[in-house]
Amino acid sequence: MHRSALLALASLAVTYAQQVGTNTAEVHPPLTWQTCAASGTCTNVAGKVVLDANWRWLHTTTGYTNCYTGNTFDKTLCPDGTTCAANCALDGADYTGTYGVTASGSSLKLNFVTSGANKNVGSRLYLMETDTSYKLFKLLNQEFTFDVDVSNLPCGLNGALYFSEMDADGGMSKFPTNKAGAKYGTGYCDSQCPRDLKFINGKANVDGWTGDSNSANSGKGTQGACCNEMDIWEANSMATAFTPHPCASSGLAVCTGDGCNGGTAGLCDPAGCDFNSFRMGDQSFFGIGKTVDSSKPFTVVTQFLTHDNTTTGTLSEIRRLYVQNGKVIQNSKVNIPGMDAFDSITDEFCSQQKTAFEDTNLFANQGGLKQMGASFAKGVVLVLSIWDDYAANMLWLDSQYPTNKAAANPGVTRGACATGSGAPADVEASASNAAVTFSNIKLGPIGSTFKSTGSTTGPAQPPPPPVSSPAAPVSTPPATPTSPPAATQTHFGQCGGIGFTGPTTCAAPFTCSKQNDYYSQCI
């Protein structure tokens, strides 16, 4: 994905800082989420969210003179990175009035454009454990679930929910020049190795800073901030993708030059290994009125399976399913020449995808699922955002990309949006009332975070016949760990259901419990 242009456009609320201002008190909006037990019993957790420092007003510590205006640092206040960090303060946020962020119970609504004293576009927030630390999620052999409403997100917009390997305190303990920390949303990094961050590791990114030619508010320095990233959800009403992005580093690594640019010399895999149903050959699966109907809210379930079904194992598969109108919907299957009929992300899926799409397999070069799993074991921060794309108009998500290749080429067409759509100036004018709502966030063992009241639903059109693949067998519904080749099934494994051919007896002391006609589970 291309997140380098995720910027606020408020005339005062555009930058990073490391000191703390006192003009506006920082009060974090509450957001309740849940942890679930294997039995399916879920317990509320009193979380909070914090606005990323990029959206905040940066001004002098002794007054209210801007340290950054338009897309330029004040050269007197910021002649170098250390001096800028000492001279400039990051202030608190008016979440709803300035940034269009509304939290209520377990629901978080992010408005796209907010017109107050200044115009603000988009936002990026992090889930907190305390007022001074981000919540670290450990995802191995876990299931992460949330509800989402993308009905008011047209072409060119992205309501994104993802994980980033940030420091829990925003880097405050490692870098003494960072006095703001997680409380003020510092320490961001991702697999794009963004160079538009105005502060990295407690110092301003002023060296070589140049304003962007297509944005009056953004620019780039010589350094970027790289780290592992797992895109659980990037979507609008037209298209969606989930994508792991491994990096060679652990935690935030500062890049310069080619190290920031991906490719064989880069620290990260900026393209990642994505599963976009439209791109993978099923154009009837996701969208308005389709199998997963984006005109209405639904539940997104993502399962992170390990090779031995333990929380200390090696990540081997990332599975996806949906629940809408009480019915479980299994993920679509790949229908691309030269690829097996995968319905999940495995290293073999990624290898076949890169070959079919004639892309370099940077995913494997950066460690693949094993490296992503190492990131999950360390702990990752939950990010929620809404944004438009100054770099590529979001065409990589919902249209044809790259535009210099024929639409018929495998992997080029990712959604039904026109190649002329998505320009930020257009969507900021025509879709100013756009918004995304995330709610009912849950984490627990496989099979614990969702329930169904109806039968499992497959794609609207029958998928192609499965092609055998010893390295990555095609999974059968629903999304639970692939059955081991044994006479008994393991805890949480599938043990029955229409079309199921695996073990129907559970290993002691577990018993096979029918969930619906298509799915029974060892619990």
Side-chain angles (χ1 to χ4, degrees):
M1 77 158 158
H2 303 257
R3 194 175 285 115
S4 61
L6 179 52
L7 298 169
L9 299 183
S11 60
L12 294 180
V14 188
T15 194
Y16 275 68
Q18 302 307 118
Q19 304 298 313
V20 175
T22 59
N23 187 62
T24 301
E26 177 65 13
V27 179
H28 299 129
L31 182 65
T32 300
W33 61 284
Q34 293 186 316
T35 58
C36 300
S39 63
T41 301
C42 298
T43 303
N44 286 340
V45 180
K48 300 179 180 181
V49 292
V50 60
L51 181 72
D52 183 289
N54 201 41
W55 272 257
R56 297 171 184 269
W57 179 22
L58 178 65
H59 59 78
T60 53
T61 57
T62 56
Y64 304 103
T65 301
N66 289 349
C67 291
Y68 182 91
T69 303
N71 57 16
T72 305
F73 281 99
D74 184 299
K75 294 182 179 179
T76 300
L77 296 169
C78 297
D80 59 75
T82 302
T83 302
C84 190
N87 285 340
C88 301
L90 183 70
D91 228 306
D94 176 357
Y95 280 80
T96 301
T98 301
Y99 301 102
V101 174
T102 304
S104 177
S106 64
S107 179
L108 181 70
K109 182 179 181 181
L110 307 180
N111 290 337
F112 178 43
V113 176
T114 305
S115 297
N118 303 287
K119 178 184 177 183
N120 179 76
V121 175
S123 59
R124 182 165 65 211
L125 299 102
Y126 311 117
L127 184 65
M128 309 193 82
E129 185 165 36
T130 71
D131 276 318
T132 57
S133 64
Y134 304 131
K135 167 64 183 176
L136 291 184
F137 285 84
K138 297 188 176 182
L139 301 173
L140 290 177
N141 202 45
Q142 297 290 289
E143 178 176 279
F144 182 85
T145 296
F146 63 96
D147 295 347
V148 67
D149 185 347
V150 296
S151 61
N152 196 25
L153 290 180
C155 297
L157 291 187
N158 192 335
L161 182 152
Y162 58 104
F163 288 102
S164 170
E165 196 182 317
M166 300 162 59
D167 287 338
D169 66 355
M172 192 173 182
S173 61
K174 292 180 180 177
F175 306 101
T177 52
N178 181 353
K179 305 298 184 183
K183 182 176 181 179
Y184 290 85
T186 69
Y188 183 70
C189 55
D190 66 33
S191 63
Q192 308 302 302
C193 299
R195 292 167 49 213
D196 62 343
L197 305 185
K198 297 164 183 73
F199 275 78
I200 300 175
N201 289 350
K203 295 182 180 180
N205 193 17
V206 297
D207 290 346
W209 187 271
T210 303
D212 289 339
S213 60
N214 65 342
S215 172
N217 298 276
S218 65
K220 294 181 179 65
T222 57
Q223 295 187 332
C226 309
C227 68
N228 289 287
E229 173 186 356
M230 175 66 220
D231 291 327
I232 300 287
W233 183 255
E234 293 197 281
N236 50 41
S237 62
M238 302 295 288
T240 185
F242 63 106
T243 313
H245 297 264
C247 299
S249 59
S250 175
L252 192 159
V254 177
C255 67
T256 58
D258 288 342
C260 299
N261 298 329
T264 56
L267 296 179
C268 295
D269 175 17
C273 174
D274 68 302
F275 200 113
N276 173 331
S277 294
F278 197 106
R279 189 185 190 209
M280 300 315 300
D282 190 341
Q283 300 181 6
S284 67
F285 184 72
F286 179 86
I288 299 171
K290 298 185 178 182
T291 302
V292 179
D293 186 354
S294 62
S295 69
K296 303 173 183 177
F298 49 87
T299 300
V300 181
V301 182
T302 310
Q303 300 172 328
F304 300 96
L305 310 182
T306 58
H307 78 291
D308 59 359
N309 294 331
T310 71
T311 57
T312 57
T314 300
L315 182 67
S316 59
E317 184 177 11
I318 302 173
R319 288 192 179 182
R320 164 61 51 82
L321 58 87
Y322 302 87
V323 183
Q324 190 171 43
N325 298 325
K327 295 183 179 180
V328 176
I329 304 172
Q330 63 172 321
N331 193 31
S332 63
K333 293 185 181 292
V334 171
N335 184 16
I336 297 291
M339 292 190 66
D340 295 343
F342 297 100
D343 59 3
S344 64
I345 293 177
T346 63
D347 285 327
E348 179 62 19
F349 161 82
C350 298
S351 177
Q352 290 190 22
Q353 181 198 69
K354 299 302 181 183
T355 298
F357 295 167
E358 299 183 347
D359 293 332
T360 301
N361 194 353
L362 297 179
F363 183 77
N365 294 349
Q366 298 293 5
L369 287 184
K370 182 179 180 180
Q371 179 67 2
M372 287 305 310
S375 176
F376 296 164
K378 179 181 178 182
V380 287
V381 175
L382 179 62
V383 188
L384 308 105
S385 71
I386 183 171
W387 60 290
D388 56 356
D389 183 3
Y390 276 80
N393 296 351
M394 218 68 74
L395 301 180
W396 56 269
L397 174 66
D398 60 21
S399 184
Q400 298 165 25
Y401 191 85
T403 55
N404 61 356
K405 290 188 176 181
N409 286 8
V412 171
T413 300
R414 295 122 187 276
C417 295
T419 55
S421 67
D426 295 338
V427 295
E428 288 165 21
S430 64
S432 61
N433 293 325
V436 63
T437 300
F438 300 106
S439 60
N440 298 321
I441 295 169
K442 299 179 182 181
L443 179 74
I446 304 298
S448 68
T449 67
F450 69 97
K451 297 179 181 179
S452 66
T453 59
S455 60
T456 301
T457 304
Q461 296 178 353
V467 180
S468 67
S469 172
V474 176
S475 58
T476 55
T480 53
T482 303
S483 301
T488 59
Q489 181 58 283
T490 57
H491 194 198
F492 302 129
Q494 185 176 358
C495 55
I498 296 174
F500 179 70
T501 59
T504 58
T505 301
C506 298
F510 309 112
T511 59
C512 190
S513 175
K514 180 178 179 179
Q515 306 298 307
N516 57 56
D517 289 344
Y518 289 82
Y519 179 38
S520 297
Q521 183 182 49
C522 291
I523 57 177

